[in-house]
Structure formats: C-alpha cells, structure tokens
C-alpha cells in the first residue's frame, strides 16, 4: 500500500510517500518521495520558533510540498494517489499540528482514504530504520529495547519490553536537552537553532582538550577552565534536569562581564563544558537503565541525536553490551518519513482500524 505522511509539529513542513508491505516485524518500505521545507530562516530573527509564523509558513508550504511529492512519486494524475494518510497529531505546537491535521483531513475526504494519527516521538524512534531514498526494512530487533529520545521538546528514556509497548522510565523534570542547547546558544550570542552551533564550537575546542594517555596536546588553555553542574546525575531515578545547567551558563557569562566581554576562545570553552555536562547526564542514566533492565537494543533518536559527542560517548558505552541504533544524519531532525514508518506500523498493529478523520485532534502534550 502507499502511505502519504505529513509532519508539521514544529518548524519543518514535511510530506513523504512510502510504498509499504509486510507485517509489524518485517515491514519493508520503498521511498517514492521525501520532502521537507525548513522554516529556519523565517525564525532566526526571533531566536526561536515563533508559533504564529510557523503556522503561516506551514499553511503556505503544504500545497507546494504536496504537489512536488506527488510529482516525484509519479502519482499526480491519479484520482486516488495513496491508500492512507499518516499525520503527526502530537506532541508539538498545537497551532502548527492543526495545519497538518486539517490538511490531512481535507485530502482524506477528497481521496476517500483513512487517516492514521501518529505520535511524533514514536516517529523519531522509528526514524532509525529509515533512509531518505531507496528501500529499507525493519530488521530483526531484540527486546528489551531502550530508547533515548532527545529533541527540542523531549528528553526521555522509554523501555520496550515487548515490541511497540512503551513504558517511560525517565524524563526531564524541566527543560529538554535540545531546548538547553538552544537557550545556551542564545546566551552565547549564537543563532537559532543552537544545538549545531554549540556542538561546532565544542568540537573545535575539544580538539585542543587533552586526551588522557596521549600527551601530544601542549595547549592546555581549555583544561578544566570552567566547571558546570551535572544536575541529577546521581539521582536514583532515570530523570533528567536541564534548567539549572542552562542557568549556570547564564550566571557564568554574567560573572565574566557579559557576552560582549567574552572572546571567541572563552565562548568555545563554555560551549565545550556545557556539551560535556549535558551529554554526560544522558549517557550516565542510559548506562544505568541498560544495566537495570538488561537491555539488548539501544535506540537513540530525535534532533539531539545528531550530536557527535553524544554519538561517540554512546558508542563507547554500548560496545559489546547492546546493539545500537542511531538515525541517519538526514533523519535526526523532524521529517515526515519517520511519520510514514510509524504510521504504517501502527496501522498494522491496530489491525487497520483508524479513527474517523474528523475526530483527530491536535494533542500538544501527547505522551508515549
Ligand atoms: O527533533 P527535533 O528536530 O525537533 C523537535 O522535535 O524538537 O529537535 C530539534 C532540537 C533543537 O533543540 C536543536 O538545537 C537540537 O535538536 N539539535 C542538536 C544538534 N542538532 C540539532 N543538539 C545538539 N547537537 C546537535 N548537533
Ligand atoms: Zn522532533
């Protein structure tokens, strides 16, 4: 069957078409088209996503992205080009989720096809199977599975004892890790979205940081220059906290005389220590959860899974312990391909039962 999928939960307008077959554990996918229109340039002047503008941009972009996607799939002349529509209904910005949902509802009526509501975080989780083009399959995957989901709005550890049955074992008690990256970037005078910017600065600085046992680094300017807290690192649960870390950077910058008094090297040193602290908390709790639940498979997904330091640290701890999955770089951020994958798997899981299209509502705080 062919599934058209729509993603509008934040600032990316995504539409894909997948040709899919198979069951819940051996589904195979062929990408007919996969398009995303990013709004980053529109939001940069505001230093973050401006919801009303995001809604306007989605409304403007959706028809164009659809036309392009149908053309690329060579389905534009068909009366009923696809068999179902998958759409993100939460979590995310309600105002932008609605643009995708109403668009899906209109298309469903026109084509007389069902609508599959999809949880954005489940989409991120299944992004690990995807490819931007070509074919891919759901591989055999051993349970228990642990997912570390890290994005601009979420920081969660989700346990799957059985395939597609979720138990959230930990989450942030305040800010999400991606949000902390974005806010710290703003404090350091870096443009939105902050994650990649902080990460770039930290990577440069890490090159000059001493590597234990190597000793070839004579430049010690960044050695222990700043120390930031690792909130909740040793708490007995699997929760995270990023608000205090973000505020610690704010105070540090203030104590150094404000952003205008800080040179580029100092900025990079702060970025490095912030990244080290933020990632250490994620990795430490993930290790603890792997041990406690005897995890066989680890999934890391969401926008922050693009972070190189996170990837390296997770690779270190998972060696010989768990089978590790990260999404391809192009699928770490928001995209509709992952919504198509999650949509199909849910369609099969629910024995092809779907709600009445017009009963689907945006759920900004939807949880797994
Ligand atoms: O999943 P996503 O694209 O959107 C949400 O669902 O929120 O995640 C976006 C988040 C932003 O906070 C962005 O700064 C962060 O992912 N991000 C990164 C990196 N690339 C994107 N954070 C750290 N390092 C990166 N390389
Ligand atoms: Zn996302």
């Amino acid at each position: 069957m062919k599934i058209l999928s729509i993603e509008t939960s934040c600032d990316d307008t995504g539409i894909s078409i997948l040709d899919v077959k198979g069951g819940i554990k051996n589904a195979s996918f062929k990408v007919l088209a996969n398009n995303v229109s990013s709004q980053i340039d529109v939001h940069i002047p505001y230093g973050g996503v401006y919801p009303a503008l995001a809604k306007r941009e989605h409304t403007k972009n959706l028809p164009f992205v659809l036309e392009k996607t149908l053309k690329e799939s060579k389905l534009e002349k068909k009366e009923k080009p696809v068999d179902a529509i998958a759409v993100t209904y939460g979590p995310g910005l309600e105002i932008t989720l609605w643009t995708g949902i109403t668009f899906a509802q209109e298309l469903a009526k026109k084509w007389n096809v069902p609508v599959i509501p999809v949880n954005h975080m489940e989409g991120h989780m299944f992004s690990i199977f995807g490819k931007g083009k070509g074919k891919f399959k759901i591989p055999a995957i051993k349970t228990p599975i642990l997912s570390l989901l890290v994005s601009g709005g979420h920081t969660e550890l989700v346990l799957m004892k059985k395939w597609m049955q979720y138990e959230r074992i930990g989450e942030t008690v305040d800010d999400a890790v991606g949000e902390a990256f974005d806010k710290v970037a703003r404090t350091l005078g870096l443009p939105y979205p902050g994650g990649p910017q902080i990460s770039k600065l930290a990577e440069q600085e890490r090159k000059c940081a001493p590597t234990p046992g190597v000793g070839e680094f004579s430049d010690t300017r960044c050695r222990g220059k700043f120390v930031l807290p690792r909130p909740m690192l040793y708490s007995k649960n699997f929760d995270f906290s990023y608000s205090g870390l973000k505020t610690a950077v704010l105070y540090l910058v203030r104590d150094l005389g404000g952003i205008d008094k800080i040179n580029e090297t100092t900025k990079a040193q702060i970025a490095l220590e912030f990244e080290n602290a933020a990632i250490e908390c994620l990795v430490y709790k993930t290790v603890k959860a792997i041990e406690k639940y005897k995890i066989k498979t680890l999934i890391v997904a969401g926008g922050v899974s693009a972070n190189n330091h996170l990837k390296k640290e997770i690779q270190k701890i998972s060696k010989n312990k768990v089978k590790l999955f990260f999404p391809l770089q192009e699928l770490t951020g928001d995209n509709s391909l992952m919504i198509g994958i999650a949509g199909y798997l849910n369609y099969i899981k629910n024995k092809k039962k779907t709600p009445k299209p017009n009963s689907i509502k945006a759920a900004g705080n939807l949880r797994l």
Side-chain angles (χ1 to χ4, degrees):
M1 69 183 280
K2 291 185 183 66
I3 294 192
L4 178 130
S5 50
I6 303 172
E7 159 62 38
T8 62
S9 70
C10 193
D11 59 344
D12 292 295
T13 316
I15 303 187
S16 309
I17 300 182
L18 292 172
D19 200 351
V20 287
K21 59 179 185 232
I24 197 163
K25 281 195 172 166
N26 65 353
S28 63
F29 300 79
K30 184 174 172 201
V31 183
L32 300 185
N34 173 34
N35 288 303
V36 57
S37 164
S38 166
Q39 304 176 2
I40 284 181
D41 293 346
V42 177
H43 299 288
I44 280 179
Y46 302 91
V49 179
Y50 192 105
L53 263 186
K55 177 190 164 169
R56 193 193 72 186
E57 290 298 302
H58 284 307
T59 311
K60 201 171 79 189
N61 293 339
L62 278 167
F64 293 108
V65 183
L66 175 69
E67 197 184 321
K68 186 168 182 249
T69 308
L70 286 173
K71 266 197 189 142
E72 280 174 18
S73 313
K74 302 195 173 38
L75 294 166
E76 80 273 23
K77 299 218 169 75
K78 296 246 179 198
E79 218 166 279
K80 182 178 164 178
V82 295
D83 305 292
I85 299 170
V87 66
T88 307
Y89 76 112
L93 298 169
E94 291 222 349
I95 182 173
T96 62
L97 287 164
W98 271 118
T99 59
I101 294 170
T102 46
F103 195 69
Q105 288 165 336
E106 281 160 22
L107 290 178
K109 197 166 162 199
K110 186 168 150 197
W111 297 336
N112 190 26
V113 295
V115 178
I116 311 160
V118 177
N119 181 314
H120 180 82
M121 298 315 289
E122 197 179 21
H124 273 303
M125 197 185 285
F126 291 137
S127 68
I128 56 154
F129 300 125
K131 278 192 201 158
K133 50 184 166 187
K135 292 179 180 174
F136 56 90
K137 271 187 178 167
I138 305 284
I141 187 164
K142 282 188 185 156
T143 53
I145 303 165
L146 180 70
S147 298
L148 173 66
L149 303 178
V150 278
S151 70
H154 293 80
T155 308
E156 300 180 341
L157 277 169
V158 179
L159 176 66
M160 243 192 277
K161 284 185 186 149
K162 285 195 179 149
W163 184 232
M164 291 181 79
Q165 288 184 17
Y166 308 114
E167 188 188 329
R168 212 178 33 256
I169 58 166
E171 65 188 321
T172 181
V173 297
D174 40 53
D175 291 354
V177 60
E179 188 181 354
F181 267 92
D182 294 337
K183 287 181 176 163
V184 165
R186 212 184 303 176
T187 303
L188 296 179
L190 302 166
Y192 172 84
Q197 302 280 341
I198 294 268
S199 165
K200 205 165 115 197
L201 269 189
E203 288 280 298
Q204 284 167 15
E205 197 58 21
R206 204 182 299 285
K207 286 193 191 123
C208 85
T211 305
V214 176
E216 57 190 25
F217 295 89
S218 54
D219 188 347
T220 56
R221 66 200 158 101
C222 51
R223 195 177 294 176
K225 176 89 196 237
F226 300 113
V227 179
L228 290 167
R230 271 82 172 143
M232 293 184 75
L233 189 63
Y234 298 117
S235 70
K236 289 212 158 48
N237 53 26
F238 296 106
D239 288 341
F240 306 93
S241 166
Y242 282 99
S243 169
L245 177 57
K246 164 198 78 186
T247 311
V249 176
L250 196 70
Y251 289 160
L252 174 60
V253 169
R254 186 197 61 188
D255 295 346
L256 291 169
I259 190 66
D260 298 337
K261 297 269 163 25
I262 294 178
N263 63 26
E264 290 306 307
T265 305
T266 305
K267 224 187 244 188
Q269 288 166 342
I270 299 173
L272 174 64
E273 172 60 7
F274 165 75
E275 186 175 79
N276 284 345
I279 301 303
E280 190 175 340
C281 297
L282 295 177
V283 176
Y284 190 84
K285 292 281 165 97
T286 304
V287 172
K288 292 281 159 209
I290 288 174
E291 286 166 0
K292 175 163 180 192
Y293 294 99
K294 302 194 172 29
I295 295 300
K296 297 236 170 70
T297 305
L298 175 63
I299 292 173
V300 184
V304 183
S305 70
N307 185 279
N308 269 332
H309 183 52
L310 173 64
K311 210 172 275 179
K312 283 192 190 138
E313 293 302 301
I314 289 277
Q315 276 163 352
K316 270 192 220 161
I317 59 109
S318 55
K319 231 182 197 169
N320 307 325
K321 265 197 192 147
V322 290
K323 173 108 177 97
L324 176 62
F325 288 94
F326 267 87
L328 293 176
Q329 190 72 14
E330 66 201 276
L331 297 178
T332 52
D334 290 345
N335 64 84
S336 50
L337 194 100
M338 66 187 195
I339 302 305
I341 303 172
Y344 180 65
L345 294 180
N346 274 288
Y347 188 61
I348 301 296
K349 182 183 161 197
N350 297 328
K351 302 191 169 56
K352 305 193 177 175
K353 279 197 205 110
T354 52
K356 285 203 177 84
N358 286 339
S359 71
I360 299 171
K361 292 188 166 49
N365 297 318
L366 184 70
R367 323 196 72 182
L368 260 180

